[in-house]
């Protein structure tokens, strides 16, 4: 008999159906027993009165996979308003006996190590699946928004020949007897591809050999990258970022999270003005966490916005490929998007002229040679361009209020953890 | 002035507009000059009569990025039926002088090394952009089909702690002073996630330290992975694969490629029957390339189909996690999809009981210990499940008839190549 999902039970009242899933919970009362079945759509209640079936159920622990055929009866007290009665139960997996956690509790009582060591089980808790269903929906919204705006999705290599973007914190690889590295970002490739498609995006892993063991660093994370050509300045990039955020959040409704609203116009502050509002030393070259918090409060108070753009960060503190403000300014066309007082996304207009790259690298006292491949691209005709990158896990952690980024990562990788 | 795309030129006849893009070609005739501009939408013709503008154009080589403001005039001989006249040209990049290839020729005359060494330029040729626009559309079709069928997209780690799936051909990594590896596939993770979401897919890089330098191997490729639970047998997986292929090809129309039609029912042969039809030795444990070619011809002749399923490959030749046919058969529930006589996709029903895994690993004479993390998942209640993986580049190479997989990879990685 064709399986139906739990959510379809009520619409089959009076009929014999088959459902299948995991035994979420058993309640073995004196006169009757209840089995709560969990499938990808939700929960279904099964009423067991036959002593033989009850005896069978007693041997099938929570998380055993079963298929159950029975008669659907309306019952306002059951999840979805119907329950399955007169069940015949077939076990599809071996009986499960020793679970590391109780999945039927409303909240999952487990320490972070337990959560991660037993991910195969703990990820099944509805509070956990909701996080990853949300993540998938956010990525879908990201792509849909950009597809509709004429962007092309690209797939660029994660094994790279040189570690130019930031020499530190890069994973080294034995590549057929030579040294190679894991890409820290698709930065140079997405810029190159602006020369091909004008507007590109990539969703892929990025790797940082991050030696600090904090609640917000991962050695491997998912980077949502955007780059677009023919811009006037960073404002065009910020406009795209706003659209992308709105598209992501619109796509992510319905998973039980209280998501923020992206205003039609996200307020924008220049870095110098932001320092003033935060009451920071005007000579500062970056915003301290306390400054960001103060700015978050200001944006909410003055503009009713959870989001705030800060643009014009000092060139000295941004990546070498960041475009400066014109006229010899020490400020750049780099920006950050703050969400409730925390940095969420970084972006910028990039340099697009070969000579500007050579000058920028020389100004930092770096050698040109390691950048040769990359710089060659800018001798082939590149338009003014810019972009941004969203770290998915950090974004999700802030949206759902997770205190540790590992809680919103399926199988996190860090200084200490490379399994499961 | 707001830029318009080349495709919008004709609808602006009689008006002053701005276009922007790359100088695709210059034709400096005696009395006039023509500039063909390329943007992401196509080509636009610009008529230059002013001697000063012509002198300017003479200094701007092909691939220089320009912005051009002028008057649109209908001209049936121009691409799109209109051209830009009385142009004012502003260079947005430095002038480009020494191109490695001529991009304005209908076909790109370049050896494979030139194509790859100068990817930043050669990828701009319309014959090349078409391949990667097709690739993006195929992936979009893959995701859309699965999203609509209740699948959840997952993102699993590419750095893994053990090299269990296939000890050979794995890249080794210095992971904070320990050894780790690059994932050859998300196989174990997608199976684990069937326990969470029932139906999952992943689009991500996979890595093989493939020491053979052939036209169809890459060290890094994009793997489109699907896994689903609550199946009867491999036929349920094959049904999903057919739907996915149809969705991918439907999404990939319009890029100038003659794509095959996926029949409503792809013919299916059992492995034993396939050997007979191919005239091979009945004791063979796999299909030789000549057998696959013969089967491709058979499918076209007998069923008018470019596609053919072969199921029931001998268990001995498939991955240890492949489910055998019942009753002690030496055949498995593994299948291949052949496309015009070439293997395109592999899939199978997998084992889902812990004891079956232990037995299967022991039967191969392998130790259980390296698989411990993975096997633990099967003690936690796993439904019958199966899936498949499509290697994007190999799939695209066959669709477009590329003789070398590197031609359909943006920045290929192989035994000899790790740049650009």
């Amino acid at each position: 008999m064709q399986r139906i999902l739990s959510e379809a039970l009520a619409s089959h009242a009076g009929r014999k159906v088959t459902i299948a899933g995991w035994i979420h919970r058993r309640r073995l009362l004196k006169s009757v027993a209840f089995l709560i079945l969990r499938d990808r759509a939700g929960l279904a209640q099964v009423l067991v009165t036959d002593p033989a079936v009850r005896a069978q159920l007693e041997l099938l622990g929570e998380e055993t996979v079963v298929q159950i055929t029975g008669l659907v009866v309306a019952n306002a007290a059951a999840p979805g308003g119907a329950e399955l009665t007169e069940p015949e139960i077939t076990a599809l997996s071996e009986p499960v006996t020793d679970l590391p956690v109780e999945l039927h509790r409303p909240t999952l009582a487990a320490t972070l190590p337990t959560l991660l060591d037993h991910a195969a089980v703990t990820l099944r808790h509805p509070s956990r699946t909701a996080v990853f269903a949300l993540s998938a929906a956010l990525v879908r919204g990201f792509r849909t928004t950009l597809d509709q705006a004429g962007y092309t999705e690209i797939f660029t290599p994660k094994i790279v020949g040189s570690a130019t973007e930031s020499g530190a914190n890069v994973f080294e690889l034995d590549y057929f007897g030579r040294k190679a590295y894991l890409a820290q970002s698709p930065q140079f490739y997405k810029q190159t591809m602006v020369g091909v498609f004008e507007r590109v995006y990539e969703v892929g892993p990025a790797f940082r050999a991050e030696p600090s063991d904090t609640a917000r660093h991962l050695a491997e994370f998912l980077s949502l990258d955007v780059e677009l050509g023919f811009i006037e300045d960073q404002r065009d990039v910020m406009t795209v970022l706003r659209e992308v955020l709105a598209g992501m959040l619109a796509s992510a409704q319905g998973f039980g999270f209280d998501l923020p609203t992206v205003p039609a116009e996200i307020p924008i502050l220049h870095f110098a003005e932001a320092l003033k509002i935060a009451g920071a030393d005007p000579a500062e070259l970056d915003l301290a966490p306390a400054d960001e918090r103060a700015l978050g409060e200001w944006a909410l108070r003055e503009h009713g916005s959870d989001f705030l753009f800060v643009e014009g960060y000092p060139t000295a503190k941004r990546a070498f490929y960041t475009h400066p403000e014109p006229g010899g300014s020490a400020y750049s066309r780099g920006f950050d998007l703050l969400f409730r007082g925390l940095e969420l996304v970084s972006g910028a207009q990039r340099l697009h002229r070969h000579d500007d790259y050579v000058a920028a690298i020389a100004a930092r006292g770096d050698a040109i040679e390691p950048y040769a491949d990359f710089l060659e691209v800018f001798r082939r005709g590149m338009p003014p361009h810019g972009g941004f990158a969203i770290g998915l896990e950090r974004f999700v952690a802030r949206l759902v209020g997770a205190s540790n980024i590992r809680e919103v990562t399926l199988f996190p990788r860090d200084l200490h953890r490379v399994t499961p």
Side-chain angles (χ1 to χ4, degrees), chain A residues 73-353:
Chain A
V73 173
N75 176 354
E83 65 183 357
L84 203 66
T85 62
E86 303 170 27
E88 295 163 50
I89 302 177
T90 309
L92 298 180
S93 74
E94 292 147 311
V96 176
T97 49
D98 53 341
L99 282 179
V101 291
E102 286 190 314
L103 288 178
H104 63 81
R105 307 267 174 209
T107 56
L108 194 52
T111 62
L112 188 59
T114 299
L115 211 62
L116 303 181
D117 289 342
H118 299 283
V121 175
T122 59
L123 285 170
R124 298 178 185 176
H125 191 272
S127 68
R128 305 285 294 141
T129 55
V131 167
F132 298 98
L134 175 85
S135 298
L138 289 167
V139 176
R140 189 162 60 245
F142 174 84
R143 292 198 198 96
T144 307
T145 306
L146 294 164
D147 285 342
Q148 287 166 355
Y151 286 72
T152 300
E153 182 172 15
I154 57 172
F155 303 100
T156 70
K158 303 310 158 199
I159 299 178
V160 295
S162 57
T164 43
E165 204 195 333
S166 141
N169 302 349
V170 65
F171 285 113
E172 191 180 297
L173 194 71
D174 172 8
Y175 191 78
F176 300 114
R178 283 171 289 161
K179 279 184 189 177
Y181 308 91
L182 290 185
Q184 295 180 301
S185 89
Q187 182 63 34
F188 300 158
Y189 291 107
K190 69 177 179 172
Q191 288 185 253
T192 300
M193 293 306 294
V194 164
V196 177
F197 286 118
E198 295 188 17
R199 301 175 163 196
V200 296
Y201 70 88
E202 178 162 14
V203 174
F207 306 90
R208 307 265 166 101
E210 180 60 63
S212 52
D213 192 18
T214 79
R216 60 195 186 87
H217 285 99
L218 292 171
E220 176 176 353
F221 64 97
L222 200 77
S223 187
L224 312 185
D225 273 273
V226 172
E227 199 78 13
L228 60 147
F230 298 99
I231 61 171
E232 277 297 317
D233 56 30
Q234 79 282 5
R235 289 289 177 97
D236 289 336
V237 182
M238 291 154 69
T239 300
V240 174
L241 174 52
R242 198 217 76 89
E243 291 302 312
V244 166
L245 283 178
M248 291 174 77
L249 291 170
S251 161
Q253 299 299 319
F255 298 102
F257 298 100
D258 183 22
L259 301 178
T261 301
V262 184
E265 302 246 343
I266 296 176
I268 304 173
L269 282 179
H270 190 276
F271 178 81
E273 181 71 13
L275 283 183
K276 268 187 220 161
I277 289 175
D281 180 344
E284 285 293 334
L285 294 177
D286 207 346
L287 296 175
D291 299 337
E292 294 188 342
R293 280 194 297 276
L295 290 165
E297 287 162 19
W298 176 86
L300 191 62
R301 191 173 64 237
E302 298 294 322
H303 296 276
S305 174
D306 285 318
F307 297 92
L308 172 68
F309 275 123
V310 179
E311 64 182 4
Y313 281 77
T315 303
K317 283 291 189 177
R318 305 293 278 203
F320 72 89
Y321 45 78
T322 307
H323 200 295
E325 287 184 0
S329 167
Y331 294 117
S332 79
R333 287 182 171 171
F335 64 84
D336 277 6
L337 178 68
L338 306 188
F339 171 61
R340 295 178 184 162
L342 289 164
E343 183 247 306
L344 192 67
V345 186
S346 278
Q349 179 177 353
R350 329 293 188 183
L351 297 174
H352 67 282
R353 292 172 190 273

